[in-house]
Amino acid sequence: MKSNLMLLAAAIVLSGYFYTADVRSLSPRINTDNACEMMVSQPSWYAYAKSAEQRWGTPVASALAIIDHESSFEAYARPPRTLLYGFLPGKRRSSAYGYSQALDGTWSDYKASVRNQWAKRTSFRDSVDFIGWYNHQSKQRSEIHHHDAYNQYLAYHEGHAGYNRRSYKDKEWLVRVATELEQRRNLYHEQLENCRELRETPQERLG
């Protein structure tokens, strides 16, 4: 009996440890509801997002909306672990990681494509470039316009093969998420368009 209680206590402590690891972040505290305030406080992020926009075509507001939904701008974000027997930490639901929540395989494809084996998912610069790269693939493979945040996100979530099969048609929750992300993108776009402080910040300033 005593040994069982000790095992249970250890499992609870271990579970708490893994939960803490899931949510840890070295990202600065920012107001993610206001793109103007966010980009003014993090000028390097804006410069990297603009660079990715010029390279791949995805608007800054769209990239920010994807990062907001995927990781809430947390550099070390991961999917939560499953629980065994209701309390033991199990495997994570996927290999998604970092700002963009890119999967291991897709991230490897990106690094090979852009010839940057040093790219990290915990780097905002690399993550926002990855989003631009992936959306560019969506334009080529699925004919989705760069400014179509709704369908770009569906392809981002389902993969190009899944999107082309219209796999999202049976996922009401995903369609709802894509709609919400599009609304977020529109909000960010309006905020950035009216951001006087941002216009006064040189794009070349990288922190």
Side-chain angles (χ1 to χ4, degrees):
M1 181 68 176
K2 185 176 180 180
S3 61
N4 290 339
L5 289 175
M6 291 178 65
L7 286 173
L8 177 60
I12 292 174
V13 171
L14 189 60
S15 178
Y17 167 78
F18 281 112
Y19 175 77
T20 301
D22 284 344
V23 299
R24 77 185 180 97
S25 172
L26 297 182
S27 299
R29 291 185 177 275
I30 54 177
N31 178 14
T32 60
D33 291 326
N34 190 312
C36 174
E37 181 180 329
M38 181 165 47
M39 294 295 97
V40 169
S41 68
Q42 300 296 321
S44 63
W45 285 10
Y46 181 67
Y48 295 141
K50 285 297 292 183
S51 177
E53 177 182 32
Q54 293 166 0
R55 184 180 188 185
W56 303 111
T58 295
V60 172
S62 296
L64 295 181
I66 290 176
I67 293 175
D68 177 66
H69 175 74
E70 292 295 291
S71 67
S72 298
F73 294 91
E74 299 289 350
Y76 290 87
R78 291 182 185 273
R81 291 182 180 274
T82 57
L83 292 178
L84 302 176
Y85 307 109
F87 61 89
L88 288 174
K91 294 182 178 180
R92 299 185 191 278
R93 295 189 176 93
S94 77
S95 61
Y97 182 50
Y99 286 110
S100 63
Q101 291 294 280
L103 299 174
D104 288 351
T106 314
W107 189 258
S108 294
D109 291 342
Y110 162 72
K111 292 195 298 182
S113 177
V114 300
R115 299 181 181 180
N116 180 11
Q117 292 302 313
W118 300 103
K120 297 181 179 180
R121 284 175 282 183
T122 54
S123 162
F124 188 91
R125 174 176 57 186
D126 294 335
S127 293
V128 77
D129 190 70
F130 166 81
I131 291 171
W133 169 83
Y134 191 91
N135 289 348
H136 185 67
Q137 304 302 309
S138 297
K139 186 176 188 300
Q140 293 183 321
R141 300 184 186 185
S142 304
E143 299 183 350
I144 304 174
H145 195 277
H146 288 126
H147 292 264
D148 185 353
Y150 175 85
N151 283 291
Q152 285 282 5
Y153 182 71
L154 290 176
Y156 192 87
H157 187 277
E158 296 294 274
H160 301 115
Y163 177 86
N164 292 339
R165 294 195 310 268
R166 301 295 187 265
S167 59
Y168 56 86
K169 289 292 186 179
D170 296 325
K171 301 177 181 179
E172 293 184 7
W173 64 270
L174 180 57
V175 171
R176 182 171 63 253
V177 168
T179 300
E180 293 172 354
L181 186 138
E182 183 179 41
Q183 293 171 348
R184 191 69 157 180
R185 180 266 176 198
N186 293 340
L187 173 64
Y188 280 167
H189 175 74
E190 181 178 357
Q191 291 169 339
L192 292 173
E193 284 290 298
N194 295 296
C195 188
R196 179 181 301 176
E197 299 92 337
L198 192 60
R199 288 196 295 271
E200 295 171 353
T201 302
Q203 178 188 336
E204 293 77 15
R205 182 182 175 187
L206 297 180

